[in-house]
Amino acid sequence: VQPPEKPLQAEEWNKLREDFQVPDIFEEVMLNSMIRCNSPIDVAKSLLTDLAKRNGDIGYSVLVKYLTLCVQQGQVSEIRDVYDIMKVRFKILEGGAYNLLVKGLSNSDQWRMALTLLEEIKKIMIPSRTCYESCIKAASRHQEMKLAFALYREMLAKDVVPTLDVLQSFFDFSRGMTGAELQKELFGILLYLRENQIYPHKTFMRSIKLWFESIPGGNWRGHLTNIKDSGQCPVCKHQLEDSNLTEEEYSNLSERIIKDVIHGTDTFRKTSPKEFEAFQTFVENRLPFDIVIDGLNVSHIKSRRMQCENLFDAVNCLAKENARLLVLGRKHMLMNSSNWKREIMKEMQTKADFFFAENISEDDTFLLYATLRSGKHCRFVTRDFLRDHKACLSDSLTRHLFRKWQRGHQISKPKCFFSVFSQQPAFRYDCVVQTTGDTWHIPYKDVFEEKYSYQVPKEWLCLQQK
Amino acid sequence: MQSANMLLRKIVRSSVLPFAAQHVMKKDLFPLSRTLSLSLCLKQDKSCEPSEKLDLDEWKKVMKSGLQEEVSETVSEPEKLSSLAAARETLEMWRLAGRAVPENISEEQLKTFMECPSKSAKKKYLKYLHLKELHKKNDKRKMAEKRERRLEAQDQASKTDDETKTSPFICLWSRTMDKAYNWRAAQSMIFGQPLVFDMSYEKEMSVREVTNTVKQIILSESCNRRSPDPFHIHFCNLKDDSLYHREFIENYREAWSKLLVTVTDQCYTEIFPKDKLIYLTADSPKVMKTFDHDKIYIVGSMVDKSIKRGVSLARAKRLGLETAALPLEKYLLWNTGAKNLTLDQMMHILLTLKDTADWKKALEFVPKRKYCGFVNKPVKELKKTLDLINTLKIGKRRENIEKQFAKNCPKK
């Protein structure tokens, strides 16, 4: 339906309604298309007037739609009127209307009313993140940073996850302001990014940079840079944090892997207690390994070649460095077949230790166990992202630990290797927001660049105090 | 022109506008209106008399005026609401906002609603209740229509013929049929091949999944009873007063104690020799070739909506039982969906296999949406065509094929 351009008389609305196939929902459809076309508010008013005259009442959903239109156009007095009507008419409102009201009012000079409305919402439910977002933005826009931070802390306390927009607005509006308190709060936000492994996007990064450089007397200078594989910042020559886990984190992670991933609800799902015990004694007798290889995964690298040849190449290449290797496989690899030649398998077993699991067991869990058991220096080779094993871990903190450890210890190869088995180095440094007091290093992502959960940004913001 | 129009409209709206001016300006004001019907209206308006001015805020007056009495009422009400009442109030607002919310909700449902751990869980539960309510309403409406039609037909019948019909056939009433079925089921309990439902998955399932499981078992039991040569059904590992048990009683009521099946809290390994048991699970590496009349098949009574791979396989492994999966891949060109089937589908398939040993006939009971068709050519050829379809879908691989083609051409 095309909304009319001007307010219409009752007869004219009637005519339009009759032409419409489903007269019952005429008003809602019409208002929806008005919202889409951003029609003048008077047209919507004339429709409401007609509706009120005919029925003597206007439904809640129609009022909310009208409110949407008012908020869209920033008609503050109308928003207030609608709120007054709604408040009298209904005992409480639902989330959608509250969101609209708060959003509409916070963008106007009556933003304090949005705050009182927020208090009202809290009595009924937990306000949505958009409610908090509007209020925080309104407060910081009017330089009431204390209030904004109070709201922010309240939001975190209620487990409402703030949007990156809110966090960015803090940096935008604090630019050039002094105060140790304020600085502490903003550093707190950066630490929040660190703890939750969130990477800011480019514009957010710019806001951070501008804020740092605007601190009066702070002498902060920011540079955009790429970090080398060695983990050294090319600008300030600072060595980034190591990707290794601490002793406590390490033992915590290995414990959880055994508990959640290998055993889970039922040890029989991935292996059997007997087999796992056999594997444990096998590993303990031969510790420590330098590299653990997922045999089946590696054997599928090049589909045109025989599977055991692929594995043979990999083992040969890695064995040259005089490393202690462990190859994990399944029992069917020992059967002489077109893909698995017995002679080649025998030759490989002189260069590396092999463990063959049952055909229906999952060898990935063994891979994780053997690597973790061998210690921090040990790495593993597989193309698998190990997402399903990560998913078995029960809390997000351990999942973060797992990702970090995986980044530091997994070797995944480039897609095609020819004669030389070239490895992609595991990350030596940890990719999170980090500080030493007089420097900050903040990884950021380009908004246009696609980023998967296993990828980490290569671009960094280096901030140093002179 | 646009801005001039806006200005004019403002003038028209202002209350001090003289009548004459309005009359003159109308000509310029309205020809812009798009719809033909509108301009027609206007012409009529003009012909009789100039329409009265629109009061755009009149709706507010209407809304406020109609409420004066109500306001005084609401004020006198106690301010604090109990949490249940508050939840009911919120639901009402959601319903007014046009969300999928049931019209009537019982106290118990409201409590479950409030216990939902997250917002999305709440939404899901409400949608479920809403759909249930809609179905119920529809059924009621259909029943009423049917009753009316029947009454009409009766009226007509009583008018037309008075003589009573005599039929040469014996009319088999459902009670007689039931007796026949029960006779067969009783026979199967003595001589029939056992079929075990393993009821040990309660911990793995949510309440709704258990309900669904029990519904599926009831369907399987009824289709077993109706078959010419039924299985002797065993419900093993069924503990008294477990959720399964309570659901069964709720569904079967008094019939539960008269059901011609064996119910036990023992495990199947305690009842039958281990070497005769075969656990049917989609995760099994072994594929079933033929239906063996001497074996005892076990079906896990589990609905897993959240994918829990390998749960039933783990159970079989723990007890050291043989496992088997249906040869779905071998006979069907699989399209979408999980390979695990519902319990009643399993029952249909097993019954057909037992009677006919015809895989094609048995696998008719796999839902049609899950497969493209039966395998009629050698699997290799079919795989080729499937690969071709896939390569057409994925551009990258097509390039590879083109390269291969280019390589092959010079040879010729």
Side-chain angles (χ1 to χ4, degrees):
Chain A
V1 223
Q2 270 282 338
E5 284 176 346
K6 310 180 190 68
L8 300 185
Q9 297 287 355
E11 308 90 74
E12 294 159 345
W13 280 122
N14 264 337
K15 180 91 177 90
L16 279 181
R17 185 180 292 112
E18 276 160 25
D19 291 345
F20 192 66
Q21 294 105 325
V22 202
D24 292 343
I25 55 162
F26 172 75
E27 281 82 19
E28 299 198 12
V29 175
M30 184 55 95
L31 275 167
N32 274 343
S33 72
M34 280 182 197
I35 293 166
R36 207 175 332 110
C37 307
N38 206 7
S39 304
I41 204 159
D42 287 345
V43 184
K45 275 185 183 176
S46 77
L47 178 62
L48 288 193
T49 304
D50 171 52
L51 187 63
K53 271 189 194 163
R54 274 190 319 125
N55 297 346
D57 191 17
I58 295 172
Y60 181 77
S61 59
V62 175
L63 277 179
V64 171
K65 294 223 160 90
Y66 175 66
L67 187 62
T68 314
L69 191 67
C70 294
V71 171
Q72 196 170 305
Q73 300 179 0
Q75 306 270 3
V76 183
S77 64
E78 279 305 307
I79 294 171
R80 292 203 60 160
D81 279 353
V82 175
Y83 175 58
D84 287 340
I85 289 172
M86 279 183 161
K87 213 168 130 190
V88 181
R89 182 75 181 69
F90 306 101
K91 251 187 235 165
I92 57 167
L93 306 183
E94 50 72 69
Y98 278 131
N99 279 350
L100 282 168
L101 287 168
V102 169
K103 192 179 169 201
L105 291 170
S106 66
N107 280 330
S108 70
D109 49 354
Q110 306 200 10
W111 63 277
R112 280 194 189 275
M113 197 180 151
L115 293 180
T116 50
L117 207 59
L118 188 72
E119 291 303 314
E120 209 180 300
I121 300 171
K122 273 187 232 160
K123 282 181 204 159
I124 309 166
M125 54 182 135
I126 296 173
S128 66
R129 71 201 292 213
T130 49
C131 272
Y132 274 115
E133 183 180 339
S134 318
C135 289
I136 289 174
K137 274 189 180 168
S140 45
R141 199 181 300 122
H142 295 86
Q143 304 293 308
E144 299 240 8
M145 296 315 287
K146 266 197 183 149
L147 178 66
F149 276 110
L151 284 172
Y152 169 67
R153 275 194 299 271
E154 185 184 307
M155 183 174 184
L156 291 185
K158 284 186 176 162
D159 273 339
V160 184
V161 182
T163 54
L164 284 187
D165 254 20
V166 170
L167 303 181
Q168 189 185 346
S169 76
F170 279 122
F171 286 94
D172 281 339
F173 291 114
S174 318
R175 207 173 292 158
M177 283 164 84
T178 47
E181 191 85 345
L182 182 76
Q183 263 188 47
K184 219 177 119 195
E185 294 276 14
L186 288 167
F187 286 155
I189 291 179
L190 290 176
L191 292 178
Y192 174 81
L193 294 181
R194 174 190 170 86
E195 266 150 40
N196 294 287
Q197 304 208 1
I198 301 169
Y199 307 117
H201 48 75
K202 213 171 191 171
T203 47
F204 187 6
M205 178 276 299
R206 273 206 198 101
S207 303
I208 296 173
K209 181 168 178 271
L210 286 175
W211 174 74
F212 266 103
E213 287 169 344
S214 78
I215 299 175
N219 282 326
W220 285 94
R221 289 298 304 275
H223 296 278
L224 306 187
T225 176
N226 289 315
I227 301 291
K228 301 253 174 60
D229 287 337
S230 62
Q232 197 186 39
C233 171
V235 180
C236 62
K237 307 286 178 250
H238 173 71
Q239 185 69 30
L240 290 189
E241 274 177 48
D242 209 81
S243 68
N244 280 333
L245 309 184
T246 64
E247 284 302 327
E248 199 192 337
E249 286 174 331
Y250 197 84
S251 64
N252 201 350
L253 180 66
S254 14
E255 228 169 78
R256 295 302 292 277
I257 293 260
I258 293 173
K259 190 165 163 276
D260 291 349
V261 182
I262 298 176
H263 292 305
T265 50
D266 188 351
T267 316
F268 284 95
R269 277 177 76 169
K270 284 182 177 157
T271 166
S272 66
K274 208 173 144 198
E275 190 184 27
F276 185 58
E277 214 171 279
F279 178 68
Q280 267 180 318
T281 46
F282 172 88
V283 171
E284 299 301 327
N285 289 338
R286 290 171 174 76
L287 278 178
F289 298 103
D290 296 318
I291 298 174
V292 184
I293 303 167
D294 183 349
L296 278 175
N297 189 293
V298 169
S299 70
H300 283 96
I301 292 176
K302 282 179 124 189
S303 54
R304 301 255 181 82
R305 300 188 64 188
M306 214 192 292
Q307 285 172 13
C308 64
E309 275 184 342
N310 275 329
L311 186 59
F312 189 63
D313 283 354
V315 169
N316 268 345
C317 172
L318 292 166
K320 268 175 205 159
E321 293 157 27
N322 211 7
R324 284 183 54 75
L325 303 183
L326 170 63
V327 182
L328 292 167
R330 293 216 180 97
K331 288 213 165 127
H332 72 78
M333 290 156 74
L334 288 171
M335 312 278 276
N336 204 10
S337 67
S338 61
N339 262 321
W340 298 99
K341 292 277 171 252
R342 193 163 282 159
E343 308 86 64
I344 302 181
M345 288 302 286
K346 268 200 182 135
E347 203 182 330
M348 268 194 279
Q349 287 182 47
T350 61
K351 293 182 176 170
D353 282 315
F354 273 73
F355 183 84
F356 297 100
E358 291 293 331
N359 290 339
I360 49 170
S361 295
E362 280 200 37
D363 47 358
D364 288 354
T365 50
F366 292 146
L367 178 86
L368 295 176
Y369 178 79
T371 318
L372 280 166
R373 216 36 214 100
S374 295
K376 281 179 179 176
H377 73 287
C378 181
R379 289 176 295 166
F380 62 96
V381 186
T382 177
R383 281 181 304 176
D384 198 321
F385 291 125
L386 305 174
R387 292 193 196 91
D388 43 349
H389 303 293
K390 191 186 79 164
C392 289
L393 295 167
S394 47
D395 65 311
S396 66
L397 193 73
T398 327
R399 284 202 284 267
H400 280 320
L401 277 186
F402 181 75
R403 264 278 179 265
K404 188 177 165 187
W405 173 76
Q406 190 188 357
R407 273 203 294 272
H409 293 82
Q410 179 166 14
I411 308 170
S412 51
K413 326 127 294 303
K415 265 178 198 153
C416 43
F417 66 95
F418 291 96
S419 53
V420 191
F421 182 85
S422 54
Q423 354 170 331
Q424 185 195 335
F427 273 85
R428 286 210 200 142
Y429 57 93
D430 191 15
C431 192
V432 283
V433 175
Q434 45 194 282
T435 180
T436 57
D438 58 350
T439 61
W440 278 89
H441 286 91
I442 299 167
Y444 66 93
K445 57 187 182 194
D446 211 331
V447 186
F448 305 107
E449 192 186 323
E450 221 175 331
K451 192 188 146 286
Y452 300 99
S453 68
Y454 58 86
Q455 280 180 331
V456 285
K458 291 237 169 76
E459 288 161 311
W460 288 70
L461 167 66
C462 161
L463 292 154
Q464 51 178 329
Q465 204 169 19
K466 292 244 164 94
Chain B
M1 189 65 203
Q2 192 74 312
S3 57
N5 242 332
M6 285 290 279
L7 191 75
L8 286 176
R9 217 182 296 156
K10 268 185 193 161
I11 297 170
V12 172
R13 234 194 306 154
S14 69
S15 53
V16 283
L17 193 79
F19 166 76
Q22 193 184 6
H23 193 73
V24 174
M25 274 178 215
K26 260 215 148 148
K27 257 187 207 162
D28 296 334
L29 238 165
F30 284 112
L32 274 177
S33 53
R34 248 177 275 122
T35 50
L36 185 69
S37 56
L38 257 184
S39 47
L40 267 175
C41 272
L42 289 173
K43 264 176 207 162
Q44 282 168 1
D45 270 359
K46 224 171 157 189
S47 60
C48 5
E49 55 180 313
S51 58
E52 79 266 56
K53 191 181 67 65
L54 262 173
D55 181 5
L56 288 173
D57 285 335
E58 200 175 335
W59 62 276
K60 289 180 193 167
K61 282 177 218 153
V62 174
M63 287 300 282
K64 280 174 186 162
S65 68
L67 291 163
Q68 286 315 313
E69 318 93 69
E70 282 181 44
V71 173
S72 53
E73 276 171 40
T74 48
V75 165
S76 63
E77 261 179 53
E79 278 281 288
K80 286 251 170 178
L81 289 162
S82 70
S83 60
L84 267 182
R88 202 175 275 277
E89 202 76 24
T90 329
L91 282 189
E92 178 61 18
M93 291 319 288
W94 283 5
R95 202 175 66 77
L96 286 178
R99 295 218 217 158
V101 171
E103 265 179 56
N104 305 306
I105 188 163
S106 71
E107 202 96 313
E108 214 168 301
Q109 286 168 336
L110 207 60
K111 267 179 199 157
T112 10
F113 163 74
M114 282 163 70
E115 278 159 16
C116 286
S118 68
K119 230 178 187 176
S120 59
K122 279 181 181 169
K123 270 187 202 165
K124 229 180 204 171
Y125 181 64
L126 285 179
K127 197 179 173 193
Y128 159 71
L129 289 180
H130 177 67
L131 286 178
K132 211 168 129 186
E133 197 179 47
L134 277 184
H135 281 301
K136 227 177 195 173
K137 257 188 203 165
N138 259 340
D139 286 349
K140 245 185 197 166
R141 207 199 58 226
K142 273 180 198 161
M143 287 276 274
E145 280 172 11
K146 209 174 169 186
R147 194 176 306 130
E148 238 167 66
R149 249 181 284 140
R150 207 193 311 137
L151 281 177
E152 262 176 40
Q154 268 179 10
D155 276 350
Q156 278 187 350
S158 62
K159 273 175 205 164
T160 47
D161 56 354
D162 297 302
E163 80 247 56
T164 48
K165 273 186 198 163
T166 50
S167 166
F169 301 107
I170 305 163
C171 193
L172 275 180
W173 295 104
S174 57
R175 201 190 301 158
T176 330
M177 291 297 287
D178 276 347
K179 265 186 193 163
Y181 289 145
N182 280 339
W183 171 246
R184 261 193 228 146
Q187 267 192 320
S188 83
M189 281 189 77
I190 309 170
F191 305 111
Q193 182 179 2
L195 178 77
V196 177
F197 282 95
D198 179 9
M199 316 292 252
S200 59
Y201 293 101
E202 200 171 296
K203 272 187 200 148
E204 258 84 28
M205 289 189 282
S206 67
V207 177
R208 257 182 80 189
E209 282 170 339
V210 174
T211 325
N212 290 350
T213 309
V214 167
K215 291 225 166 98
Q216 287 180 13
I217 291 177
I218 289 170
L219 283 176
S220 345
E221 190 272 326
S222 83
C223 92
N224 179 57
R225 202 186 329 148
R226 271 151 229 268
S227 77
D229 182 18
F231 283 108
H232 175 194
I233 294 181
H234 286 71
F235 294 147
C236 289
N237 289 326
L238 183 61
K239 305 269 180 297
D240 267 350
D241 209 41
S242 60
L243 200 52
Y244 279 122
H245 190 239
R246 268 177 279 153
E247 276 298 321
F248 269 128
I249 288 177
E250 193 167 298
N251 278 287
Y252 275 115
R253 293 173 198 282
E254 303 90 68
W256 173 244
S257 48
K258 293 179 207 154
L259 213 58
L260 292 170
V261 297
T262 302
V263 178
T264 168
D265 62 350
Q266 279 181 305
C267 187
Y268 28 84
T269 46
E270 295 166 36
I271 306 173
F272 303 108
K274 256 190 185 180
D275 55 329
K276 280 205 163 186
L277 291 169
I278 294 182
Y279 210 116
L280 293 175
T281 162
D283 296 321
S284 170
K286 278 180 204 147
V287 173
M288 197 170 156
K289 286 206 177 91
T290 50
F291 181 87
D292 194 335
H293 294 268
D294 293 328
K295 296 278 186 192
I296 295 148
Y297 291 96
I298 307 167
V299 180
S301 312
M302 177 167 138
V303 171
D304 59 336
K305 288 194 170 161
S306 59
I307 307 139
K308 295 188 195 78
R309 268 186 62 217
V311 171
S312 52
L313 185 65
R315 200 130 312 180
K317 252 161 96 181
R318 180 190 290 278
L319 297 168
L321 299 178
E322 207 180 309
T323 59
L326 292 181
L328 299 173
E329 291 271 73
K330 193 179 162 195
Y331 290 96
L332 303 174
L333 201 55
W334 202 258
N335 186 19
T336 56
K339 298 258 167 55
N340 52 356
L341 303 174
T342 62
L343 300 174
D344 50 313
Q345 285 160 9
M346 273 314 272
M347 182 57 113
H348 275 296
I349 290 170
L350 289 176
L351 279 171
T352 322
L353 279 179
K354 187 153 89 101
D355 294 343
T356 63
D358 182 353
W359 278 106
K360 200 176 166 187
K361 217 171 168 186
L363 294 181
E364 289 277 337
F365 291 101
V366 176
K368 294 273 179 296
R369 66 172 188 282
K370 287 196 174 183
Y371 61 95
C372 307
F374 281 90
V375 174
N376 43 8
K377 291 183 224 165
V379 181
K380 262 191 184 172
E381 268 181 52
L382 281 169
K383 276 218 169 128
K384 258 187 206 166
T385 47
L386 258 185
D387 283 347
L388 196 72
I389 292 168
N390 284 335
T391 46
L392 287 176
K393 274 182 194 164
I394 306 162
K396 230 182 184 178
R397 284 202 197 154
R398 187 167 50 187
E399 282 173 21
N400 284 343
I401 283 199
E402 275 167 7
K403 269 183 207 162
Q404 273 182 22
F405 192 68
K407 264 187 208 166
N408 290 341
C409 272
K411 277 179 197 167
K412 284 173 191 173

